[in-house]
Amino acid sequence: MAAGLKTIIALSFVLAIGFLLCILSSALFHNYLPLLVVASYVIAPLPNWICSRCANPDDFMESAGSAVVDFGRFCTGFFVVMGVGMF
């Protein structure tokens, strides 16, 4: 296995453990507000996916839908930063 692939697998394992600990701590102390962090990471890729679909990448002009794609990237970045800020 390549070194880059091992790094990605290790980081995904650490992220999964972090999500598990966040969910377990919420259930243990009956305080479910930390689950908003998990929810923000779950919905983070949705604006990027929706805006890339709306941009119609099959068009013959590349610059036609760039504002929509940039808006999707901005919203995705916002959700990721919001999740870090709530943590």
Side-chain angles (χ1 to χ4, degrees):
M1 251 195 295
L5 186 60
K6 287 182 182 179
T7 304
I8 291 174
I9 291 173
L11 288 175
S12 65
F13 182 73
V14 168
L15 183 69
I17 293 296
F19 280 154
L20 177 69
L21 289 176
C22 183
I23 292 169
L24 288 177
S25 69
S26 297
L28 181 64
F29 297 114
H30 300 290
N31 183 10
Y32 294 101
L33 287 177
L35 289 180
L36 291 175
V37 174
V38 176
S40 69
Y41 283 124
V42 168
I43 65 170
L46 291 179
N48 201 11
W49 177 67
I50 291 169
C51 291
S52 67
R53 287 288 196 179
C54 292
N56 194 9
D58 297 331
D59 197 10
F60 64 91
M61 292 177 56
E62 289 291 326
S63 64
S66 109
V68 176
V69 173
D70 287 342
F71 180 71
R73 289 178 183 161
F74 173 77
C75 289
T76 298
F78 174 75
F79 282 127
V80 169
V81 170
M82 184 177 68
V84 170
M86 284 192 301
F87 186 65

